[in-house]
Amino acid sequence: FQAEDGIRDRSPSRGLGDVYKRQELAQAYGGHGEVVRSSNEFPPALERARQSNKAAIIDLRTDPKAINPLTPA
């Protein structure tokens, strides 16, 4: 992926979708992990992560176009 500013995204999980389950990575290391698919799910997920008192990954599955319509496909 090449951003408009010329910076290349080297994220190993980019484009893998559900194949790369970040929440399971957190859980495998004894942390808290969950997936959030809508903005109204985020506040309770954040609270659960905080209440766990563990390292946490909240995997935000959002539509980039919903955040910024100029985001390239």
Side-chain angles (χ1 to χ4, degrees):
F1 171 74
Q2 187 78 30
E4 289 181 23
D5 59 7
I7 298 173
R8 182 155 174 78
D9 181 353
R10 293 182 179 14
S11 173
S13 63
R14 181 167 183 82
L16 294 178
D18 287 331
V19 174
Y20 189 72
K21 297 182 178 178
R22 297 160 192 87
Q23 76 282 5
E24 290 181 8
L25 178 64
Q27 294 164 358
Y29 283 97
H32 174 85
E34 62 183 282
V35 176
V36 169
R37 289 186 169 81
S38 67
S39 58
N40 63 337
E41 292 178 355
F42 181 74
L46 180 59
E47 186 57 30
R48 287 189 294 273
R50 292 181 70 212
Q51 293 295 321
S52 76
N53 291 319
K54 300 176 181 178
I57 293 176
I58 300 175
D59 188 355
L60 304 172
R61 301 290 175 97
T62 58
D63 178 2
K65 296 282 187 192
I67 295 169
N68 181 352
L70 300 178
T71 302

